[in-house]
Amino acid sequence: MGWSASGRRWFWLVLAVALLVALPVLSVFALAFFPEENIWPHLWNTVLFHYIGATLTLSFGVALCTLLIGVAAAWLVSMCRFPGRRFFEWALLLPFAVPAYVIAYVYTDLLEYAGPVQQFLREAFGWQTSRDYWFPEIRSMGGAIAMLSLVLYPYVYMLARAAFLEQCGSIRAASRSLGCSPWQSFLRVSLPMARPAIAVGLSLVLMETLNDFGTVDFFAVRTLSVGIYDTWLSRGNLGGAAQIACSTLVFVVLLVTLERIARRRQRHFVQSPGSSRDYYVLGGGRALAATLFCSLVLLCGFGVPVLVLLQYALGNFTSYWTDDFLTIARNSFLLSAVAALATALLGLLLAYGKRLASGSTVRALVGFSKLGYAMPGAVMAIGVIIPLAAFDNTLDAFARRYLDTSTGLLLSGSVFAILFAYTARFLAVSTGAIESSLDKVTPSMDRASRSLGRNSWQTLWAVHLPLVRAGILSGTIVVFVDCMKELPATLLLRPFGFDTLATYVYQFASDEMLERSALGALMIVLVGLLPVILLSRAMRGRRDERRQQPAEVAELPTTGAMS
């Protein structure tokens, strides 16, 4: 491989980290193919196709809705001029901060039969029972699609907007000169050029849809994620849960393949705009419609949930701000902080190892270590519990035989299991952010440092860390927020009596006690605003940078996690 002694050491380090974080994936497949009790024929003949059908229906509905909302909003704020456009540019990212299960709890409380909306309708029109009128059922497949779409459309919006801003205005002007109307120019020119970026956004939306547990469980939509939970905990069959998890991974592989293909095509479909840019100035009814559309999307995805949570949280603040709540909040913050620091450290090792030990093998190992980000939380929980439980059982058997004592569940029944799951799942986020920062550091700085007698570790500490600290910080913040919101893995792996804000909100909201869970949900939303601020600043900085550059072929900015 032609590596130096230092390069070989970094290769073995990268290999060790990649195998460690890939252990959950390998464990799922091992248990699925060699379960203690094979219930695959039973799953095949009973519930498996129902789980798959519900997952496909949910995924198709969410993909369609996020596509329509995200592309329409991106086109309006990028290519049109109307009142409020500059505000909506960044404000439409705010639903990123709201977990899907939180918005599901809020709208269920508002729209169910006993909620304020239907009560108002019955009083206003004199209706007595539900037979007197029709109202859509919120706890349904359609409700789940709507809730997920309201918080996931920013993936499509962010990447589609970046694609539209990158397009050269002279191309659209040429289409207009050939007789295309604005609508035809959008369909025939702008949309096909942005299609690869939109495909990346949709693949990320579908991955989040596969991962969702709180929303679909609350709405009784039996997807693969819920099937894993039911088979493991309700039926007590971990092997059957692993087999369902493998079915989920088939969807994950397809989505990752789609994302990779779309990402490769981005550099071929996009051109830097240079100084040539034209806009559509909307007036009258069109301007009003554009403002109302963006306002409605923002209000439904962020405004209403936050206002409801604020009302509930502030109305009984002293009752809910208790020592127990503070303990749960501290659990969440400490757990998320430790996991974020662990991913930052391991991500730095992977990114720097890839820089020093360059080659296809190292690139493949680093890419393999990012697979956890595409794994749903429930699948990751299974992959973590299998090796940890095997270790605990082996150690306990050894202690019973030779020491006449029992060690119990040292790892699989502890907070370590949650930390392992968080680190393996979100390592890709930190690695991608650090890689992006390291790529901007010229290799000549490495050579200059080594010529002064510093080894690779000293060069990393003295030269690279100061230069990539912004990437490390941004990746750490995003991982911290993702860990705060993570529900399926936490719910399945937490020790007895241990709660985080996510499980706290889930438990009380599932018991129809939204007021009790409002303070925890609001805290999760407020913390979730941090990456939204980072995204907004990054998009604005990228736009200003592009305005100052000459026309050239360029690649769209995309999320670092899947790079």
Side-chain angles (χ1 to χ4, degrees), residues 75-329:
W75 175 258
L76 286 174
V77 301
S78 302
M79 296 294 110
C80 301
R81 292 295 177 265
F82 59 94
R85 181 193 63 84
R86 296 186 64 84
F87 167 75
F88 291 122
E89 277 186 344
W90 62 268
L92 286 170
L93 291 171
L94 290 175
F96 254 140
V98 186
Y101 54 85
V102 169
I103 200 173
Y105 302 150
V106 169
Y107 277 104
T108 299
D109 189 70
L110 290 176
L111 301 178
E112 64 182 353
Y113 180 79
V117 173
Q118 292 201 51
Q119 283 185 359
F120 171 78
L121 292 176
R122 288 194 296 271
E123 292 175 0
F125 295 97
W127 296 325
Q128 300 298 319
T129 67
S130 59
R131 297 179 179 178
D132 298 334
Y133 64 99
W134 177 86
F135 196 85
E137 176 59 49
I138 183 65
R139 293 193 181 187
S140 62
M141 176 65 76
I145 291 173
M147 297 301 101
L148 288 168
S149 300
L150 285 175
V151 297
L152 295 180
Y153 81 84
Y155 282 110
V156 177
Y157 164 76
M158 176 178 62
L159 294 173
R161 177 172 176 261
F164 291 141
L165 289 174
E166 293 283 345
Q167 293 175 4
C168 186
S170 59
I171 298 178
R172 291 190 302 275
S175 69
R176 298 294 301 277
S177 68
L178 293 174
C180 289
S181 66
W183 177 247
Q184 291 173 328
S185 179
F186 168 74
L187 290 178
R188 296 181 181 181
V189 179
S190 297
L191 189 60
M193 292 175 64
R195 187 171 55 202
I198 295 171
V200 174
L202 281 178
S203 66
L204 296 174
V205 166
L206 293 175
M207 288 179 191
E208 292 296 329
T209 303
L210 284 176
N211 178 61
D212 181 78
F213 172 78
T215 305
V216 293
D217 179 64
F218 190 61
F219 284 0
V221 177
R222 317 315 290 174
T223 61
L224 287 166
S225 181
V226 176
I228 293 171
Y229 185 89
D230 288 344
T231 305
W232 181 357
L233 297 186
S234 301
R235 300 183 177 92
N237 193 301
L238 184 58
Q243 291 170 333
I244 297 177
C246 285
S247 302
T248 306
L249 290 178
V250 172
F251 290 94
V252 171
V253 170
L254 292 175
L255 292 176
V256 171
T257 302
L258 171 66
E259 192 269 348
R260 294 292 182 187
I261 293 173
R263 193 178 295 278
R264 282 201 305 268
R265 296 180 64 190
Q266 280 179 260
R267 65 178 70 244
H268 302 297
F269 274 79
V270 183
Q271 290 183 330
S272 178
S275 59
S276 180
R277 180 69 61 104
D278 63 336
Y279 299 102
Y280 300 105
V281 180
L282 304 181
R286 292 182 177 180
L288 178 61
T291 303
L292 288 178
F293 172 76
C294 294
S295 300
L296 183 63
V297 170
L298 180 61
L299 184 66
C300 293
F302 184 80
V304 170
V306 170
L307 289 176
V308 171
L309 293 176
L310 274 174
Q311 179 186 0
Y312 287 153
L314 298 179
N316 296 279
F317 182 80
T318 55
S319 301
Y320 302 147
W321 190 264
T322 62
D323 292 338
D324 289 340
F325 177 80
L326 292 177
T327 299
I328 292 170

Side-chain angles (χ1 to χ4, degrees), residues 3 13 45 104 212 215 233 252 263-264 277 292 317 342 346 399 414 449 473 477 480 485 488 529 555 558:
W3 292 328
L13 184 60
N45 293 322
D212 181 78
T215 305
L233 297 186
V252 171
R263 193 178 295 278
R264 282 201 305 268
R277 180 69 61 104
L292 288 178
F317 182 80
L346 294 179
S414 68
S449 177
L473 179 61
I477 290 175
F480 177 83
K485 297 191 293 184
L529 289 175
E555 183 177 1
T558 53

